[in-house]
């Protein structure tokens, strides 16, 4: 397999990142690196981790910069000495496999007023977010960082919102994604048609099949749903391959939205 995701053991909880409702944290792992760990016991649960995992690795395949993703294991004893009861409960509910993203120490938030993004990169990011239905890359919350003078993407947990209902996947995959009109980089995304063509040579059904197969089974056991992990994987593959096959729908929507603001 060409996609390699390392596994690490979380050794020490350092500090919570109290942005949003999911309470990610900076934690140290047994490989001597620090990670931003997102926990399956928080917010949208394992669906948020799946969104993060798929979003990061699809972005990486497109040549965009994202932190390394690892599967971060929490054992039963982890967090027992944490003084904050809310965090202690979160860690207890998150035993097993979580997701970690390499901590970009010293990174600063992307500022669209200060930081320029070239048309190709902006178009790639807009196309990516339309493809994975990421509603959370706006002026209010860019979810991008500047690190060593380079642009890095973070936080794809609000993507794939179809999986919260898991209904009519074929129809959900062919939505135009009108919310792209609020994308922070839309004005700069002048190469969307070209990026659509080049992206479809990279994001192949074979790549998506391999990627989805890596989703941990423990992330695919959802309360209130009767589907098996294999059925959920098949659903994600159906959504992404259908969306890829009909990419002209969301690409044209993004192009028209851009024409309305320039």
């Amino acid at each position: 397999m060409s996609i390699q995701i390392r596994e690490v053991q979380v050794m020490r909880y350092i500090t919570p990142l109290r942005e949003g409702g999911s309470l990610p944290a900076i934690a140290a792992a047994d490989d001597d690196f620090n990670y931003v760990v997102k926990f399956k016991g928080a917010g949208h649960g394992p669906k948020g981790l799946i969104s993060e995992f798929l979003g990061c690795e699809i972005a990486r395949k497109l040549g965009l910069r994202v932190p390394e993703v690892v599967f971060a294991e929490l054992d039963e004893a982890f967090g027992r000495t944490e003084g904050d009861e809310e965090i202690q409960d979160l860690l207890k509910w998150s035993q097993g496999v979580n997701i970690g993203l390499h901590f970009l120490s010293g990174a600063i938030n992307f500022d669209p007023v200060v930081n320029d993004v070239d048309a190709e990169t902006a178009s790639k990011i807009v196309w990516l977010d339309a493809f994975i239905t990421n509603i959370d890359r706006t002026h209010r919350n860019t979810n991008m960082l500047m690190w060593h003078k380079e642009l890095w993407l973070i936080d794809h947990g609000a993507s794939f919102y179809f999986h919260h209902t898991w209904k009519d996947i074929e129809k959900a995959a062919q939505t135009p994604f009108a919310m792209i009109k609020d994308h922070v980089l839309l004005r700069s995304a002048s190469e969307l048609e070209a990026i659509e063509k080049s992206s479809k040579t990279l994001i192949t059904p074979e790549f998506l099949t391999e990627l989805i197969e890596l989703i941990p089974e423990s992330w695919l056991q959802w309360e209130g749903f009767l589907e098996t992990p294999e059925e959920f994987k098949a659903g994600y593959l159906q959504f992404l391959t259908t969306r890829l096959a009909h990419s002209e729908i969301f690409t044209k929507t993004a192009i028209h939205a851009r024409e309305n603001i320039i």
Side-chain angles (χ1 to χ4, degrees):
M1 299 178 78
S2 60
I3 305 171
Q4 301 293 326
I5 307 296
R6 294 190 301 114
E7 299 177 5
V8 302
Q9 186 80 32
V10 179
M11 304 299 291
R12 183 166 59 92
Y13 186 99
I14 298 175
T15 186
L17 299 173
R18 294 183 179 273
E19 298 178 5
S22 61
L23 283 182
I26 301 173
D30 60 352
D31 61 354
D32 295 327
F33 288 109
N34 291 343
Y35 295 91
V36 174
V37 178
K38 298 189 175 186
F39 302 101
K40 64 182 178 182
H44 293 305
K47 294 177 187 177
L49 307 193
I50 293 169
S51 295
E52 188 70 67
F53 174 63
L54 296 178
C56 278
E57 293 309 312
I58 292 171
R60 197 185 317 279
K61 187 67 172 179
L62 291 175
L64 296 164
R65 294 184 182 89
V66 289
E68 182 193 5
V69 170
V70 297
F71 293 141
E73 180 82 22
L74 266 66
D75 66 25
E76 184 179 352
F78 188 82
R80 285 180 179 171
T81 59
E82 172 60 43
D84 187 311
E85 288 188 10
E86 181 184 11
I87 293 174
Q88 192 175 96
D89 287 342
L90 172 64
L91 298 177
K92 181 174 67 175
W93 297 330
S94 301
Q95 292 171 13
V97 181
N98 297 270
I99 193 167
L101 298 103
H102 189 86
F103 178 54
L104 305 180
S105 180
I108 59 174
N109 288 327
F110 170 83
D111 185 340
V113 176
V114 175
N115 304 120
D116 292 325
V117 180
D118 64 89
E120 181 182 359
T121 301
S123 299
K124 277 187 183 182
I125 296 170
V126 169
W127 192 89
L128 163 74
D129 288 332
F131 177 46
I132 66 175
T133 62
N134 181 16
I135 63 174
D136 203 11
R137 189 117 52 210
T138 65
H139 283 84
R140 183 179 61 83
N141 191 21
T142 67
N143 282 320
M144 294 185 287
L145 299 174
M146 297 301 298
W147 193 54
H148 298 307
K149 299 181 179 180
E150 295 177 329
L151 182 67
W152 292 72
L153 307 185
I154 60 168
D155 202 348
H156 301 87
S159 308
F160 301 98
Y161 55 82
F162 85 96
H163 63 187
H164 296 295
T165 58
W166 205 259
K167 293 179 181 178
D168 201 345
I169 294 173
E170 195 75 13
K171 182 179 179 180
Q174 297 181 54
T175 56
F177 195 59
M179 285 175 283
I180 202 67
K181 66 181 176 58
D182 299 320
H183 199 287
V184 65
L185 296 180
L186 185 60
R187 186 180 295 273
S188 301
S190 60
E191 299 181 12
L192 285 165
E193 286 190 44
I195 291 301
E196 179 194 17
K197 293 178 182 178
S198 62
S199 296
K200 291 181 77 167
T201 67
L202 296 170
I203 308 300
T204 62
E206 293 76 18
F207 163 75
L208 293 172
T209 299
E210 180 182 354
L211 178 63
I212 290 166
E213 194 56 38
L214 291 173
I215 299 173
E217 187 167 315
S218 61
W219 295 1
L220 294 162
Q221 298 168 4
W222 302 348
E223 187 176 348
F225 291 82
L226 299 177
E227 286 84 353
T228 65
E230 289 307 314
E231 288 171 332
F232 281 129
K233 286 182 179 181
Y236 279 110
L237 185 59
Q238 179 187 0
F239 176 84
L240 283 167
T241 54
T242 301
R243 195 154 182 79
L244 189 69
H246 296 87
S247 62
E248 74 280 356
I249 297 174
F250 63 81
T251 302
K252 288 178 179 178
T253 299
I255 290 170
H256 292 157
R258 181 177 178 272
E259 289 171 349
N260 289 331
I261 63 171
I262 60 173

